[in-house]
Structures are given as structure tokens and as C-alpha cells.
């Protein structure tokens, strides 16, 4: 199973973890690491390396971060560039995290990347578009009988 490390600024990671626990329950091989204002990139790197050893079963590790170019993303990227079977996905939202975690035991690291990006994009919408979808005729599979 792929290991997952969730990280982001402030309480992003612990907030996502708390929501995850409420919605889908405890997940194996998942660690959440916050990056509060008083932290440093050196401390974050140490936390990432420790978490990496705790979640890595040999299938690969995915870092899920909040913001492209932010310290959690850059720190995770440096670790990913030095190792194999490591991916960094950024711009994460709750839908992406939950769907990806629930499907990860069936996914390779590359499939996980594709799946999580698709689910994250799917979760970005607005009320107007959702209402429009609900008014469109639903397609049905008819067998002609």
C-alpha cells in the first residue's frame, strides 16, 4: 500500500486529518504534518523523513501538500528528488485526499497521481454548475426491450 504524508501551512494537515477521521475513519500508513508559523524548513524536513520511514512499506510514498511553491511542497520535493517511488501532489483539497486514500491500495504511484488530480478537479465546482447538471436529462442504459 502507498504511504501518504499530508502537509501544509498552519493547521492544514491536522485539519484535513480530522475531517478524514470524521468521514472515513482511521487510515493506515497516513501521517499529517502541520507547518505552523513558528516552524522551520529544517524541522519540517526532519518531520518528513521520520514520517517517511513510518509510512513507507516499499510500494511508494505520496506527499500531499497545500500550496505550489510553499515550504511543505519544496521540502517534500527535495526528498522526492533524492528517492525513488515518491511523488509530490500539491493544491490538495478534501475530496482529493479522501477519494485517493480510499482507492490507494489498488493504485500504483503513477495511477494514484492521475486519480488524485482527477478527483481534486472534479471536486472543484460551483452551485450554478451543479444545479445546471441536475436539470440536464439523465442518460439511461436501455437495452431496447
Amino acid at each position: 500500500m502507498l504511504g501518504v504524508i499530508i502537509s501544509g501551512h498552519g493547521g492544514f494537515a491536522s485539519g484535513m486529518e480530522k475531517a478524514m477521521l470524521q468521514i472515513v475513519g482511521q487510515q493506515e500508513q497516513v501521517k499529517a504534518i502541520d507547518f505552523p508559523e513558528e516552524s522551520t524548513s529544517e524541522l519540517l524536513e526532519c518531520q518528513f523523513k521520520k514520517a517517511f520511514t513510518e509510512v513507507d512499506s516499499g510500494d511508494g510514498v505520496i506527499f500531499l501538500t497545500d500550496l505550489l511553491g510553499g515550504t511543505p511542497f519544496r521540502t517534500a520535493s527535495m526528498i522526492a528528488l533524492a528517492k525513488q517511488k515518491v511523488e509530490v501532489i500539491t493544491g490538495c483539497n478534501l475530496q482529493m485526499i479522501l477519494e485517493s486514500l480510499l482507492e490507494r491500495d489498488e493504485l500504483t504511484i503513477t495511477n494514484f497521481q492521475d486519480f488524485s488530480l482527477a478527483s481534486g478537479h472534479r471536486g472543484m465546482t460551483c452551485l450554478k454548475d451543479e444545479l445546471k447538471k441536475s436539470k440536464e436529462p439523465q442518460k439511461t442504459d436501455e437495452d431496447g426491450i
Side-chain angles (χ1 to χ4, degrees):
M1 179 185 295
L2 295 168
V4 175
I5 299 170
I6 303 167
S7 187
H9 293 82
F12 176 84
S14 58
M16 289 292 160
E17 180 182 44
K18 189 173 182 178
M20 173 195 73
L21 291 170
Q22 178 181 346
I23 297 167
V24 298
Q26 186 69 41
Q27 299 295 302
E28 293 180 28
Q29 292 175 242
V30 176
K31 292 288 181 184
I33 301 172
D34 287 329
F35 183 61
E37 188 176 347
E38 62 275 4
S39 189
T40 65
S41 54
E42 292 80 14
L43 175 59
L44 185 63
E45 181 179 4
C46 290
Q47 291 171 313
F48 278 178
K49 288 179 177 178
K50 181 178 186 286
F52 191 97
T53 62
E54 293 172 1
V55 302
D56 185 21
S57 66
D59 293 329
V61 174
I62 308 284
F63 285 91
L64 299 176
T65 68
D66 62 343
L67 183 64
L68 178 64
T71 301
F73 171 79
R74 290 193 326 267
T75 305
S77 296
M78 296 304 293
I79 293 170
L81 292 172
K83 295 183 178 285
Q84 293 187 10
K85 292 186 177 182
V86 181
E87 183 58 71
V88 181
I89 299 172
T90 193
C92 294
N93 59 42
L94 185 58
Q95 179 159 337
M96 171 194 286
I97 292 170
L98 295 179
E99 287 186 24
S100 300
L101 288 177
L102 292 174
E103 296 296 326
R104 71 188 156 125
D105 58 339
E106 304 293 325
L107 301 172
T108 66
I109 199 163
T110 303
N111 298 132
F112 184 99
Q113 173 188 324
D114 295 340
F115 181 87
S116 65
L117 291 174
S119 65
H121 290 141
R122 188 173 48 256
M124 296 173 57
T125 188
C126 66
L127 177 60
K128 183 179 177 182
D129 287 347
E130 291 303 301
L131 289 173
K132 188 186 310 181
K133 286 180 198 175
S134 69
K135 291 179 183 177
E136 293 174 0
Q138 300 296 318
K139 294 181 182 179
T140 58
D141 293 330
E142 295 181 0
D143 59 7
I145 298 176

